[in-house]
Amino acid sequence: MFLELCTLLLFIAVLVAALAFKVKLVFAMLAGLALFAGYALVRGYGVRRVLAMCGRGIVTAKGILILFVLLGLLTALWRAGGVIPLMVVHSVKVIHGGGFLLAVFLLNCAMSLLTGTALGSAATVGVVCATAGHALGISPCWVGGAILAGAYFGNRVSPISSMALLTANITNTDIYANVRQMLKTTWFPLLLSCAVYLVVGLGGFANDLSGVAGDSTYASGISAAGVLSVASDVAGVFSAEPVRALFAKEFSLSPWCILPAVLMIILSVLRWRSSRVLLLSALAALPLAFVVENHSLADVLRAVVFGFHAHTPELAPMINGGGLLSMLNVFWIVVIAGCYAGIFKETGMLAPLKSAIERIAARTNSFFATLVASCVTACVVCNQTLTIILTHQLTENLDTNSAPGATKLCDADKSSDMPTTIVKNKSHVLDLYDTAVTVIALVPWSVATAMVLAAANAPASSVLCACFLYLLPICRLV
């Protein structure tokens, strides 16, 4: 046990150092892989055996790696085909009055549900909402919280979300079955969140009493980010027309551009395989990029590989992105995490931590134990992908159907030559979605949360106003 704890503590130290010195997580994870491989060698496993462990771990992740490639293709072609710009322009029309915070939350929920990405939602609709909030004098903390909660709503429940697909892949479950399960624990905290944002908005509790709305520093931050210069016909009244005019400089905003999104919804309802849904929706945007948006073949190929880049500087922070290279970082993170999983599984390295989690589950219940494991993991690794994978590793053998005090090992395949542990307990999968997938958003220093808040120009304190992210686990606990 001493060797295992020392190795894990060294790994934590490497992650903390990487975070402190702003070193890319991939390099920290490579150092961690060296540590875990060294641990296996010290335990008497040969080099070939360790390489075989890594190989088997990577095999378990091959499905999600293919989906990442398709997601990169989709996000690029949806931009080049004018799909995302059209959705942004029409969505901001509902921003007004005392229901502003509720509208912000629901708009970001809808965008993240359609695109499957928290950062993409925050960088498009979220940016517009943040700018509108500034014009209306709404506290950036509340606006940022509504954006953050809405962005991670779809990141959790969308059938094309990379994190939702990753969770389904590592647990060997069907994404559509998982979505149906998630809806059972989603509707009540969603309604509560809507009620909170509506009451706060109508009651004026989110009005910016600190003068942030007139703060030149905040305003210059928006301008420096190249977001928007929003015109107001009346002081304090947000107008959506400048948003449309800005996007019209570069996109046709044709109604035909909504077809790829409609196709994706239809195929998802029909429960087509996720890879086919992503591919067909991406291909549906291809003729739009050529015919409607008048992009050349070279432009489209460049967007597919390197990501879409707008020619209008003001649009760049909102619309730039996508492409195969945008998925490269998370691709390598999953590959390395797969190596971790192989080593952990065959060496039993996580046994001490698993025992501690099982003791917590025995005294409380398995959901609470999973929540504790995900919170600790998220605070340490600061990465959503790794939080999901490690939390699954730590809690996969908990029987989440058991009552408090009666936790036992679930019926899972523990054969070392199997490429995947087959999770037969669906409650464990739901626990992962309700904890590990979303709890990372409440860690202000995590990479994903920092990027979402930065995209929306929101303060770190916004996590305190991300109601849905708190209410989801709280409702499960009570």
Side-chain angles (χ1 to χ4, degrees):
M1 181 181 293
F2 177 76
L3 183 60
E4 286 84 354
L5 291 177
C6 286
T7 306
L8 289 171
L9 288 174
L10 280 174
F11 176 55
I12 293 172
V14 169
L15 290 174
V16 171
L19 182 65
F21 293 101
K22 298 182 179 179
V23 177
K24 285 188 175 182
L25 182 65
V26 170
F27 297 118
M29 290 186 67
L30 284 172
L33 180 57
L35 282 171
F36 298 140
Y39 162 83
L41 292 173
V42 171
R43 284 281 307 273
Y45 296 93
V47 175
R48 289 187 180 180
R49 182 74 182 278
V50 174
L51 291 175
M53 294 176 190
C54 294
R56 281 189 285 271
I58 294 174
V59 166
T60 65
K62 67 178 181 179
I64 190 63
L65 295 178
I66 294 172
L67 290 174
F68 282 163
V69 172
L70 293 175
L71 281 170
L73 178 68
L74 177 80
T75 52
L77 291 178
W78 269 29
R79 286 170 167 86
V83 181
I84 292 178
L86 182 67
M87 290 192 294
V88 172
V89 166
H90 285 286
S91 63
V92 297
K93 293 179 181 179
V94 303
I95 297 177
H96 59 81
F100 174 78
L101 284 178
L102 176 60
V104 169
F105 174 60
L106 293 178
L107 282 175
N108 281 273
C109 284
M111 181 61 75
S112 61
L113 189 62
L114 284 171
T115 62
T117 166
L119 181 58
S121 302
T124 51
V125 169
V127 165
V128 178
C129 291
T131 310
H134 170 66
L136 294 171
I138 307 297
S139 166
C141 181
W142 274 103
V143 176
I147 293 171
L148 183 66
Y152 272 91
F153 172 85
N155 182 261
R156 166 182 173 266
V157 80
S158 172
I160 65 165
S161 163
S162 59
M163 295 300 104
L165 290 168
L166 171 66
T167 306
N169 182 266
I170 63 175
T171 56
N172 197 30
T173 52
D174 176 63
I175 181 62
Y176 296 112
N178 292 347
V179 169
R180 288 198 303 273
Q181 285 290 106
M182 280 188 278
L183 292 178
K184 297 176 183 178
T185 60
T186 298
W187 69 270
F188 188 59
L190 178 63
L191 289 178
L192 284 179
S193 300
C194 290
V196 170
Y197 288 126
L198 183 61
V199 170
V200 170
L202 292 176
F205 301 112
N207 291 343
D208 193 356
L209 302 178
S210 62
V212 174
D215 190 343
S216 60
T217 302
Y218 180 73
S220 64
I222 293 179
S223 177
V227 178
L228 297 175
S229 178
V230 180
S232 299
D233 297 328
V234 183
V237 177
F238 172 75
S239 172
E241 184 55 36
V243 179
R244 181 182 180 85
L246 179 59
F247 276 93
K249 292 180 180 179
E250 193 155 339
F251 298 96
S252 67
L253 303 179
S254 167
W256 292 106
C257 294
I258 200 63
L259 289 179
V262 173
L263 178 64
M264 187 191 72
I265 294 172
I266 293 173
L267 295 181
S268 297
V269 171
L270 294 175
R271 295 187 62 188
W272 280 42
R273 187 178 300 175
S274 299
S275 56
R276 293 178 182 177
V277 173
L278 295 174
L279 180 60
L280 291 175
S281 183
L283 292 178
L286 195 57
L288 295 173
F290 291 129
V291 179
V292 179
E293 301 300 339
N294 296 315
H295 291 297
S296 66
L297 178 61
D299 289 337
V300 173
L301 290 177
R302 194 179 303 113
V304 166
V305 178
F306 300 102
F308 181 83
H309 294 278
H311 298 295
T312 307
E314 294 84 1
L315 281 175
M318 289 187 287
I319 207 66
N320 282 5
L324 299 178
L325 292 183
S326 71
M327 305 303 296
L328 193 60
N329 188 59
V330 70
F331 183 95
W332 285 116
I333 288 175
V334 171
V335 168
I336 299 170
C339 295
Y340 287 6
I343 294 174
F344 292 161
K345 181 178 181 179
E346 297 195 33
T347 63
M349 184 178 177
L350 295 181
L353 291 180
K354 283 187 174 183
S355 297
I357 296 298
E358 288 171 9
R359 286 195 295 272
I360 293 175
R363 292 188 179 94
T364 55
N365 57 60
S366 295
F367 176 76
F368 182 78
T370 305
L371 180 61
V372 170
S374 63
C375 288
V376 174
T377 304
C379 290
V380 173
V381 304
C382 307
N383 176 269
Q384 190 179 26
T385 303
L386 201 52
T387 296
I388 294 170
I389 293 174
L390 289 179
T391 302
H392 169 61
Q393 287 273 321
L394 290 169
T395 62
E396 61 183 328
N397 290 335
L398 296 181
D399 181 3
T400 49
N401 284 327
S402 61
T407 298
K408 57 183 181 298
L409 294 183
C410 72
D411 185 13
D413 188 345
K414 302 177 179 63
S415 175
S416 61
D417 60 351
M418 290 293 291
T420 315
T421 298
I422 301 174
V423 178
K424 298 179 180 179
N425 194 328
K426 294 181 180 180
S427 295
H428 166 68
V429 182
L430 184 60
D431 288 350
L432 285 178
Y433 279 115
D434 290 350
T435 57
V437 177
T438 54
V439 75
I440 188 71
L442 297 175
V443 181
W445 57 87
S446 73
V447 177
T449 304
M451 292 178 68
V452 168
L453 294 179
N457 197 45
S461 56
S462 295
V463 298
L464 300 174
C465 301
C467 302
F468 177 76
L469 303 179
Y470 289 107
L471 291 172
L472 179 64
I474 289 174
C475 288
R476 284 292 308 275
L477 287 172
V478 298

